[in-house]
Amino acid sequence: MTEHQPRQHHRHQEERPKRRFCDYCNERTAVLYCRADSAKLCLPCDREVHSTNQLFSKHSRSLLCDLCDASPASIFCETEHFVLCTNCDWENHSQGNSYLSPVHNRRPIESFTGCPSVSELFTVVGFHDLDHKPLSLADENGNNSNVSAELSALLAWEPPDFVSIDDLIVSSDSDHNFQALGVPPLPKNRNASCGQHKEEMLSQLRQLAKLEPNFKYESADVEPFAGFQSLVPEPNFQPGHLRTSAERDAEPISFPAYETSSLRWPTDSCEAANQRPLTLLRNHFEESFAVPDKHLDTTGCTRNVSVSDGDEGRSQHPITAETSAVFPKVSVHELNSQERDSAISRYKEKRKTRRYDKHIRYESRKVRAESRTRIKGRFARIDH
DNA sequence: AATCTTAGTTGTGGATGTAGTATGA
DNA sequence: TTCATACTACATCCACAACTAAGAT
């Protein structure tokens, strides 16, 4: 594990085109994922969308997965500085996969609700230890190299104290060593980062800050925020440690950081991936079609080739014999484009037609209920 | 295939209880 | 900081017409 592997990793990043367009504005890079809306959003649009009313503000949003760009991230890999969704984390950290080693230091990351201010967003995305610099020092051209350098030591997301259904499914499988449920609980320090899109986040945060004339980074303290709500209680976990559920109260198991990693996905990873519980695979498969720009390689076996599929028409996902039997024979680029347009229009249409007032499905029942005799509000029996 | 019968499920609104939050002493 | 009080939001309960699905004719 020497020089070539970090370089490969870097290439991996470079070859990923800017294809995480916000589903709302379709211009900026999406950095968040809203489960309720099934939408990828940039920070400004996130604010616009979720400040509309109280109901929207309750939507839980997460960072967007750095690998699949289509799912809410729930794991932060300290070693690789990736934020990963459950599926990608499973695929990349499961045993037999050498792209991201299972011994990487990983920790859960949190989602958030509400309409956090810029200051609060700084903490939410893990920028709150930047020595109060990030917005004030970054120049108008977005030159934040100094900030970027500091970001390497960055901050933490408080880990979620909930587990997804996928986590439960995975955990029930004793044949693999993947520790979805064993995802380290509750870091005490908040050192973490926001993955591979720090600069983009900073840029968007600066945009937001311009709209907040009274913005002061000092306000981004760890105090409970008025405008939004973290979904996680106080952390209680040391980074770099994994505990099994049974050992949570015992001594933590320390995993060494995996110093370097290979981009190549060995063929045996296919087997490992194929051994995943069917439900999980189905979930991932469905998600692949439900969410635009989702990687098509459900097993991760094909990720040894570039994962890019951007507008520049670079290399596409290779379709293996297995996947080609499942997926329609449409070019990935075309599929993603169609899927994306379709998803965006569905999302916007859904927003237009969404209704929060009480919907009466059967007017006759309403009339009947209103005319019925009641006793303390309850319907009274009618003796004939 | 069309119609009828039967059994089970759904939806409707006002009063009430309960849990959570906010406020003030 | 603690406690009491006020307030808010939400779930629950009730009966039964309307609806749905399956089986029988």
Side-chain angles (χ1 to χ4, degrees), chain A residues 138-150:
Chain A
D139 62 35
E140 286 298 317
N141 298 326
N143 183 358
N144 47 24
S145 56
N146 292 337
V147 173
S148 299
E150 297 186 17

Side-chain angles (χ1 to χ4, degrees), chain A residues 240-291:
Chain A
H241 293 88
L242 284 176
R243 300 181 191 190
T244 63
S245 56
E247 292 164 334
R248 244 168 227 184
D249 298 328
E251 287 298 309
I253 305 171
S254 187
F255 288 81
Y258 198 64
E259 292 181 0
T260 56
S261 66
S262 168
L263 253 186
R264 295 189 306 116
W265 286 48
T267 51
D268 59 352
S269 68
C270 300
E271 290 180 24
N274 288 336
Q275 288 170 2
R276 294 169 60 185
L278 178 62
T279 311
L280 186 60
L281 281 174
R282 188 183 65 235
N283 186 330
H284 185 60
F285 174 77
E286 290 170 351
E287 190 178 19
S288 298
F289 278 95
V291 183

Side-chain angles (χ1 to χ4, degrees), chain A residues 51-276:
Chain A
S51 62
T52 307
N53 62 43
Q54 200 171 5
L55 223 53
F56 287 169
S57 72
K58 291 179 180 177
H59 288 181
S60 171
R61 285 100 75 198
S62 307
L63 289 178
L64 200 53
C65 174
D66 281 333
L67 283 188
C68 69
D69 292 336
S71 299
S74 57
I75 305 291
F76 174 65
C77 175
E78 284 185 333
T79 310
E80 299 287 341
H81 282 275
F82 270 91
V83 292
L84 304 170
C85 66
T86 308
N87 286 330
C88 290
D89 180 55
W90 196 97
E91 290 174 0
N92 298 327
H93 288 111
S94 60
Q95 217 175 37
N97 250 326
S98 64
Y99 172 51
L100 298 177
S101 165
V103 296
H104 281 185
N105 289 337
R106 290 135 59 220
R107 80 167 79 94
I109 54 177
E110 69 172 353
S111 56
F112 68 95
T113 62
C115 298
S117 66
V118 174
S119 303
E120 294 159 352
L121 279 172
F122 256 82
T123 301
V124 168
V125 301
F127 283 152
H128 70 255
D129 265 359
L130 281 185
D131 227 3
H132 298 194
K133 291 177 185 175
L135 287 187
S136 55
L137 293 188
D139 62 35
E140 286 298 317
N141 298 326
N143 183 358
N144 47 24
S145 56
N146 292 337
V147 173
S148 299
E150 297 186 17
L151 288 176
S152 60
L154 262 188
L155 308 185
W157 288 73
E158 293 175 355
D161 63 341
F162 58 85
V163 291
S164 69
I165 187 65
D166 284 354
D167 294 332
L168 297 175
I169 293 168
V170 170
S171 68
S172 65
D173 185 350
S174 58
D175 291 340
H176 58 74
N177 292 338
F178 178 60
Q179 309 208 3
L181 260 192
V183 160
L186 310 173
K188 269 179 181 167
N189 77 12
R190 300 160 66 100
N191 289 334
S193 175
C194 49
Q196 300 295 301
H197 293 80
K198 299 164 192 166
E199 283 75 15
E200 179 61 32
M201 285 188 187
L202 278 174
S203 171
Q204 293 183 12
L205 282 166
R206 281 198 304 276
Q207 291 182 34
L208 284 179
K210 290 174 183 174
L211 303 176
E212 286 187 18
N214 297 327
F215 168 75
K216 289 181 181 176
Y217 185 75
E218 284 75 3
S219 61
D221 213 345
V222 194
E223 296 291 325
F225 303 134
F228 83 106
Q229 172 190 1
S230 166
L231 297 180
V232 187
E234 186 59 27
N236 178 27
F237 147 82
Q238 297 291 346
H241 293 88
L242 284 176
R243 300 181 191 190
T244 63
S245 56
E247 292 164 334
R248 244 168 227 184
D249 298 328
E251 287 298 309
I253 305 171
S254 187
F255 288 81
Y258 198 64
E259 292 181 0
T260 56
S261 66
S262 168
L263 253 186
R264 295 189 306 116
W265 286 48
T267 51
D268 59 352
S269 68
C270 300
E271 290 180 24
N274 288 336
Q275 288 170 2
R276 294 169 60 185

